[in-house]
Amino acid sequence: MQIEFITQESLTEFLTLVSRHLGLTIQDSGQKVELQKGDHIKIEAAPEKTVITYGSKPQLFRALTMWQARQKQEPVFSCEETPRFDKIGPMIDLSRNAVLTVAAMKEYITLSAKMGLNSVMLYMEDTYEIPEYPYFGHMRGRYSQQEMKALDDFAYELGVELIPSIQTLGHLRTPLRWNFAIGMKDTHDILLVDEDKTYTFIEAMIRSVSNCFRSRQIHIGMDEAHDLGLGHYLGKHGLENRFSIMTKHLNRVVPLCEKYGMKAMMWSDMFFRIGTKSGDYYDPEVDFPQELIDDMPDVDMVYWDYYHHDEEKYAVSFANHKKLQRPIIFAGGVWTWNGLAPNYGKSLTTTAAGLTAAKKAGIREVYATLWGDDGQETPHIAALLGLQQFAEEQYGDAPTIDLISDRFEMFHGQPATDFLLLDRFDQTPGVAKDNPGGSNVSKLALYEDLLFGIYDGTLNQYDLKDWYRRLAQDLTTVQPTATTAPLFAFYQQLAEVLAQKAPLGKTAWAAYQSQDREALAAVSAAITALKPELEKLHEAHRAVWFQWNKPFGWEILELRYGGLIKRAETSAWRLDQYLAGTLDELPELTAPRLPFDGPWLLGEDTVGRNLFHGIYSASKLSDV
């Protein structure tokens, strides 16, 4: 499609990038499109000339995408969209082993801008370079300063604000392993407050990112520091009120941000955990001492909540945040951290409730967190439908799933139903609608041991074989793009593996109890047949990982796949030994199958949730 752009603003580089992505050719004799600067999106399409009004480059990118799609069937039309938030976009977790390559991050920024999202936050615990600390982020795939500047330059051309999100208190277990951290650790993952060495280190953090990003915003973290003041700090200073420790620390960190021209924001949960009797972040009964409010420096409060399905819960939390008398930013989430697949039921429901409440509370800045807990098993690109929902919430109120789906296909060239299929990996029998408890059944079923699975007593209640077999069949109907083809190849193979693997533990145990040797032999044969399917799954997951991510961190998932494959070999070997009479018994299959009973037991209408180490074995995975 040949386009002649008429514009008073210098947009050459931007229009070149956008046209290349949309498959447009810029040519003086092409179809005329006049671009006018305004404060929102307005498209007035006609065969002789189309006029597009826009408030920002991402709005223009969104408008051009919609116009290109609609004008093929509708040469004459008009539409308008007004943004609800000043800033909105994804917060991409780069700290759970998966660090997007520079090329992949540029693609993610492009897709965000295309939907009309104008900011992207990079969550980097230790995955950015600090020149003075060479071990910080060592072998973690950290971005060099050159890479961060290149990403910032690219985002700037698309009108996207790239914002660094770091940690200046907790969540630092990985970098604090190195000897440079001796003398500035409170606990294994929390920095030592009121120690000069700590603030020399934090200043180097802030200086590094401030030099690489145009944005003058910086997220300084400070969430989930549950043991604050209870480690080396306690030995040095004695027991101290945690409010005072937090404010003391803030009053040293925020001036460091200001020194480099940065405006700080922080996660708000620690103040709420300290200010409630229950210690629950979302407890509606919270009390903040006036001296805390008076002593707190100029810092924005980021309220994170991707759990509640009820708008009123968010409204109460917004009201409680206003008691802190600081600007409020909201962080919802697209559930990419559920396990192996996105939890779209919970994601769509919580996003609708949270963003509706945010609009009513007058919040002007919101983010969609894409966490990657426990090794980033779910690829970031799987969040695309959730980001489309955020985009439609930005340009409308209460968008329906039909609207979100229509826009998703318009913007990404693939049916939204394909992505919604991924929700079924964990929305299994036994799980309540929209998976409110975050059950990750597919992860439990994949990592569950074939002979001594500690989740057998729970999973065996459900017919997962037929569930995953039907899902595998439905995934054959997917219409992926070149971008998403590796993603869906991985999920197709995952469903095939789960359909084969899920019933084997139950069958083996039952056959052993009844001494059905024929059934045990069939299980051994099934496990032998499963091994090459596990190898195919490893290869499919590897392909999508290296499509998007740097190599660092893949070794952790590969260790898990290696364990699954070798355990399949050994399980068949053990069964064959028993059947041959070499063994008199199999203690693995003698042990009772108890329902799982642990800290991830989430109550009624859930099947269960856990991390790899809590699923794979009851033995120590790695410890003294």
Side-chain angles (χ1 to χ4, degrees), residues 84 352 355-356 359 392-393 395-401 403-404:
R84 271 59 173 174
L355 293 187
T356 297
K359 292 171 187 176
E392 301 319 310
E393 288 281 2
Y395 295 101
D397 293 317
T400 64
I401 187 60
L403 173 64
I404 295 166

Side-chain angles (χ1 to χ4, degrees), residues 340-449:
L340 298 161
N343 180 351
Y344 268 122
K346 190 169 184 66
S347 179
L348 292 167
T349 305
T350 57
T351 295
L355 293 187
T356 297
K359 292 171 187 176
K360 292 178 180 178
I363 306 303
R364 303 305 305 165
E365 188 171 350
V366 301
Y367 294 94
T369 59
L370 312 181
W371 297 112
D373 298 11
D374 202 29
Q376 195 68 61
E377 292 158 322
T378 298
H380 279 306
I381 193 61
L384 205 54
L385 178 60
L387 293 181
Q388 192 71 53
Q389 181 187 18
F390 267 77
E392 301 319 310
E393 288 281 2
Q394 163 72 328
Y395 295 101
D397 293 317
T400 64
I401 187 60
D402 289 339
L403 173 64
I404 295 166
S405 297
D406 288 346
R407 290 290 170 81
F408 183 82
E409 189 160 4
M410 176 187 290
F411 278 82
H412 305 293
Q414 183 171 354
T417 49
D418 291 351
F419 275 71
L420 290 172
L421 282 175
L422 305 182
D423 188 55
R424 284 167 51 188
F425 278 97
D426 295 323
Q427 183 68 64
T428 64
V431 176
K433 184 179 184 298
D434 296 330
N435 198 356
S439 288
N440 54 6
V441 184
S442 59
K443 183 165 180 166
L444 303 178
L446 179 65
Y447 293 138
E448 175 83 330
D449 194 85

Side-chain angles (χ1 to χ4, degrees), residues 39-58:
D39 60 3
H40 68 292
I41 294 173
K42 185 176 182 180
I43 305 172
E44 296 175 287
E48 60 277 8
K49 184 176 75 171
T50 291
V51 178
I52 295 178
T53 304
Y54 63 97
S56 65
K57 286 180 178 179

Side-chain angles (χ1 to χ4, degrees), residues 254-272:
V254 171
L256 290 175
C257 296
E258 294 169 345
K259 177 179 178 179
Y260 293 93
M262 305 290 278
K263 178 68 167 65
M265 66 177 93
M266 65 174 285
W267 304 114
S268 65
D269 61 295
M270 283 302 295
F271 289 120
F272 281 77

Side-chain angles (χ1 to χ4, degrees), residues 153-173:
D153 288 343
F154 181 83
Y156 178 75
E157 289 298 337
L158 288 176
V160 173
E161 183 176 357
L162 211 57
I163 301 171
S165 174
I166 64 174
Q167 286 286 358
T168 59
L169 183 60
H171 278 292
L172 292 171
R173 176 196 298 258

Side-chain angles (χ1 to χ4, degrees), residues 558-576:
E558 194 150 66
L559 188 67
R560 297 175 187 178
Y561 280 115
L564 287 174
I565 292 165
K566 300 310 289 185
R567 280 298 299 157
E569 281 185 10
T570 298
S571 297
W573 175 70
R574 291 283 290 171
L575 289 171
D576 291 346

